[in-house]
Amino acid sequence: EPEVTQTPSHQVTQMGQEVILRCVPISNHLYFYWYRQILGQKVEFLVSFYNNEISEKSEIFDDQFSVERPDGSNFTLKIRSTKLEDSAMYFCASSEGRGVADTQYFGPGTRLTVL
Amino acid sequence: RKEVEQDPGPFNVPEGATVAFNCTYSNSASQSFFWYRQDCRKEPKLLMSVYSSGNEDGRFTAQLNRASQYISLLIRDSKLSDSATYLCVVNGGSGGYNKLIFGAGTRLAVHP
């Protein structure tokens, strides 16, 4: 069964450093997403991406964040200057379309720890 | 008012029990409704989509009441493997068609 993959599984970084989280969506999917989950809290939407541009973003997704699809398979989330409060689990998701019936499939997540 | 509200639980039930979870959502423009399951420190996994007519998948039954903005999940004959957090999820409606809005989850613990 096709699945979304993410690397690394765990990233530790110092405050102020840049991090890039990587995702490989399911191959025939066209819509890509990033969500985050701070420990003990709910999953929160960050951004959606289609046709090489952001289609929607949340208030959390400020200028410190950016997304990119650098090639035909990878989808990345960059945090330019990490803060302590960026420590969270980051989930990538993808869906085939954007219709009401289109399920979003989640990757296993990257645990980001900012020290 | 929270966008998606769930009873956090935990629900502690014996194997074989029937358990019901409820959820309310605030955005009347939401069009897609789901139950996801999340195991500890893992990704959310789709359990089932929820339709107005109600739908059933084995031991799981989901219901949607659009007028009341209320979603439910019924699990019959609980198994130990059902222990997890159950996430009520809706799409963002007119404010975010593809954006999924998650509830904080209801924890279920099934014991022998």
Side-chain angles (χ1 to χ4, degrees):
Chain A
E1 184 180 311
E3 54 185 26
V4 177
T5 59
Q6 291 185 242
T7 53
S9 55
H10 190 190
Q11 173 93 47
V12 182
T13 190
Q14 295 289 326
M15 194 168 55
Q17 294 297 304
E18 175 183 286
V19 294
I20 297 176
L21 310 184
R22 292 183 166 80
C23 168
V24 179
I26 294 172
S27 63
N28 65 329
H29 286 187
L30 301 177
Y31 293 82
F32 316 118
Y33 315 86
W34 284 100
Y35 291 82
R36 81 169 186 192
Q37 186 175 30
I38 294 170
L39 187 65
Q41 298 187 24
K42 64 180 183 177
V43 177
E44 298 174 291
F45 170 80
L46 291 178
V47 66
S48 61
F49 189 87
Y50 169 70
N51 201 25
N52 279 318
E53 57 183 35
I54 290 173
S55 45
E56 201 171 345
K57 60 182 181 179
S58 71
E59 291 173 358
I60 303 167
F61 194 88
D62 62 22
D63 292 343
Q64 292 299 311
F65 291 88
S66 61
V67 289
E68 194 177 36
R69 188 153 162 84
D71 53 46
S73 58
N74 288 286
F75 177 51
T76 62
L77 174 69
K78 183 194 290 187
I79 309 175
R80 258 179 276 284
S81 177
T82 50
K83 308 185 193 69
L84 294 176
E85 55 265 35
D86 293 328
S87 294
M89 195 76 162
Y90 288 81
F91 294 109
C92 174
S94 69
S95 65
E96 199 168 342
R98 64 186 295 270
V100 294
D102 280 293
T103 302
Q104 293 185 24
Y105 294 92
F106 284 74
T110 293
R111 180 173 306 283
L112 177 65
T113 301
V114 182
L115 303 176
Chain B
R1 183 182 171 187
K2 289 181 184 173
E3 290 181 287
V4 178
E5 200 143 4
Q6 297 182 249
D7 181 343
F11 284 61
N12 292 301
V13 303
E15 274 185 291
T18 295
V19 62
F21 304 139
N22 304 316
C23 163
T24 56
Y25 61 95
S26 61
N27 188 345
S28 59
S30 293
Q31 298 176 39
S32 305
F33 309 90
F34 310 93
W35 284 100
Y36 276 75
R37 169 196 168 126
Q38 186 174 33
D39 292 288
C40 190
R41 295 178 180 254
K42 300 281 190 182
E43 74 273 25
K45 289 191 174 171
L46 180 70
L47 182 66
M48 57 199 305
S49 301
V50 189
Y51 306 113
S52 296
S53 53
N55 48 304
E56 189 173 310
D57 183 2
R59 297 182 293 108
F60 300 85
T61 301
Q63 297 275 357
L64 167 65
N65 184 322
R66 281 187 184 264
S68 306
Q69 294 177 206
Y70 171 91
I71 307 165
S72 66
L73 176 69
L74 184 77
I75 305 176
R76 287 181 299 277
D77 189 22
S78 300
K79 312 285 184 202
L80 294 175
S81 56
D82 293 334
S83 297
T85 296
Y86 290 82
L87 308 176
C88 179
V89 184
V90 307
N91 83 324
S94 58
Y97 194 68
N98 274 72
K99 164 183 158 181
L100 292 183
I101 301 167
F102 285 76
T106 299
R107 263 200 313 126
L108 173 65
V110 182
H111 57 81

